[in-house]
Amino acid sequence: MPAISATAPGKLILFGEHAVVHNRPAIAIPFNGVHAKAAVFATPIAPTGRVRIEAQAIGLDQTLDQLAPDHPFAIAIHGVMKTLGITWLPACHIRITSTIPIAAGMGSSAAVSIALSRALAAFLGHPLEDSAVNTIAFQVEQQLHGTPSGVDNTVISFNRPVYFVRSQPIEFLKIREPLDLLVADSGIAAATGPMVAGVSQRFNADPDTYGAYFDQIANLVRQARMDLESGAGNDLGPLMTQNHRLLQKIAVSTPELDRLVETALAAGALGAKLTGGGGGGNIIALAANHQIEKVVTALLAAGARRTWLLNLPRHEEAVS
Ligand code: PMV
């Protein structure tokens, strides 16, 4: 019997990470250069209800009833069952694979939950709406990261650029002009939860200073939105670099990330910043087409483990 499978992309935060946890806006885009995949195979000869879950990358091969109830996969599977109003599952084998680097600011955990929820629901004959998948993935993110803003699960569930404010209706961005972005991996893994908790602690210790940083980030996000939606992309690069400077101030950058950002700028990028939780992971840089090769070469020479090129297409309805 063929498998029923589903994929979900990674994501990149263009502006506003961390401040978004504190109710400021952020801009995030799907990153289809990497993806998570879940495939569900029926296993008719296995005992009824035996659900085997295999995720080689994290060394996991267990049945659902062996997983702790707060395991992300268990939360996602039970979330699907609850949404569909079912209390048992037919015997099956779920295989999860992913090309999204783990703990690298690319939304790997949300993408896995989303691919898993979609594939399982489709296998059960009831494909889920994007918003239902988003709700399930947010529950997993809450378990994993404590106080997530919800931006990761939202941008990945809908697979569209978003202007995101916590607990507000989702706004999709209409990108007016295509953009070329470079992504460079520092090769250092850093879990999001502790980074978010560290910022919150520092905010609680000095709410005036940190509140002002978050407000400055929010201003950059709003300007970037205008730029992206009007097509006057000239200021976008400097806005990215200013956002990075503020991320340095809230102490989520690292010497390696700073080196990659400065390298990209020195090689002619229009702007650069870390993306995601920081502490490691990736940077993004905006570059004019003729500068891309030079910036990539410089980033690799400065220690980037790998780079990706991402063309953010214009939104069709944005062109009147
Ligand atoms: O590091 P990632 O891919 O999980 O991105 C986290 C983004 C933060 O703003 C730091 C946290 C959040 O919940 O929005």
Side-chain angles (χ1 to χ4, degrees):
M1 208 177 287
I4 302 284
S5 63
T7 60
K11 71 97 220 305
L12 297 167
I13 297 186
L14 287 191
F15 292 94
E17 50 273 270
H18 285 291
V20 69
V21 175
H22 301 267
N23 303 311
R24 273 55 167 203
I27 292 174
I29 58 170
F31 178 34
N32 285 283
V34 290
H35 67 269
K37 180 175 176 183
V40 187
F41 307 82
T43 49
I45 56 169
T48 310
R50 186 177 192 275
V51 177
R52 175 182 165 202
I53 305 144
E54 186 198 352
Q56 246 182 27
I58 54 166
L60 183 135
D61 191 347
Q62 283 183 310
T63 56
L64 178 58
D65 50 15
Q66 288 170 332
L67 286 183
D70 60 356
H71 189 285
F73 296 163
I75 298 175
I77 293 170
H78 289 128
V80 170
M81 293 171 70
K82 196 167 166 215
T83 308
L84 298 180
I86 58 173
T87 50
W88 69 278
L89 291 171
C92 61
H93 175 183
I94 304 174
R95 183 177 295 145
I96 293 163
T97 51
S98 177
T99 61
I100 308 176
I102 295 172
M106 285 195 186
S108 130
S109 57
V112 166
S113 313
I114 288 162
L116 170 57
S117 305
R118 281 199 204 288
L120 181 62
F123 170 76
L124 296 168
H126 296 283
L128 290 176
E129 305 263 327
D130 293 343
S131 56
V133 170
N134 190 25
T135 304
I136 296 169
F138 187 51
Q139 284 160 7
V140 181
E141 293 291 284
Q142 283 174 312
Q143 174 60 34
L144 276 174
H145 303 313
T147 55
S149 63
V151 64
D152 284 15
N153 45 281
T154 301
V155 64
I156 296 173
S157 294
F158 291 91
N159 200 356
R160 289 173 64 181
V162 292
Y163 178 86
F164 180 89
V165 184
R166 197 173 179 165
S167 309
Q168 299 284 318
I170 302 162
E171 292 183 65
F172 296 111
L173 275 180
K174 294 191 167 66
I175 308 283
R176 184 110 193 165
E177 291 297 333
L179 289 180
D180 284 324
L181 289 166
L182 283 168
V183 186
D185 186 356
S186 70
I188 297 165
T192 305
M195 298 304 297
V196 169
V199 173
S200 292
Q201 257 168 27
R202 295 189 286 282
F203 167 69
N204 289 332
D206 187 356
D208 289 348
T209 307
Y210 269 67
Y213 291 148
F214 297 151
D215 286 340
Q216 288 171 51
I217 292 175
N219 277 332
L220 299 176
V221 176
R222 286 189 276 267
Q223 286 179 59
R225 179 190 193 166
M226 284 194 294
D227 245 46
L228 284 163
E229 294 199 318
S230 70
N234 312 343
D235 292 337
L236 216 54
L239 292 174
M240 283 168 68
T241 309
Q242 287 174 51
N243 194 163
H244 184 72
R245 302 286 173 234
L246 287 160
L247 289 164
Q248 288 174 314
K249 291 196 170 152
I250 64 169
V252 294
S253 192
T254 63
E256 294 80 13
L257 292 169
D258 289 343
R259 190 172 64 240
L260 293 179
V261 164
E262 300 312 331
T263 299
L265 294 173
L270 301 166
K273 64 183 276 292
L274 72 81
T275 182
N282 289 272
I283 67 136
I284 50 173
L286 181 70
N289 207 279
H290 65 280
Q291 294 283 14
I292 288 174
E293 211 179 307
K294 191 173 162 211
V295 179
V296 169
T297 308
L299 284 168
L300 290 171
R305 295 295 161 86
R306 54 189 155 171
T307 59
W308 294 265
L309 182 59
L310 163 69
N311 179 265
L312 183 63
R314 97 177 123 201
H315 185 274
E316 286 141 36
E317 289 165 30
V319 186
S320 48

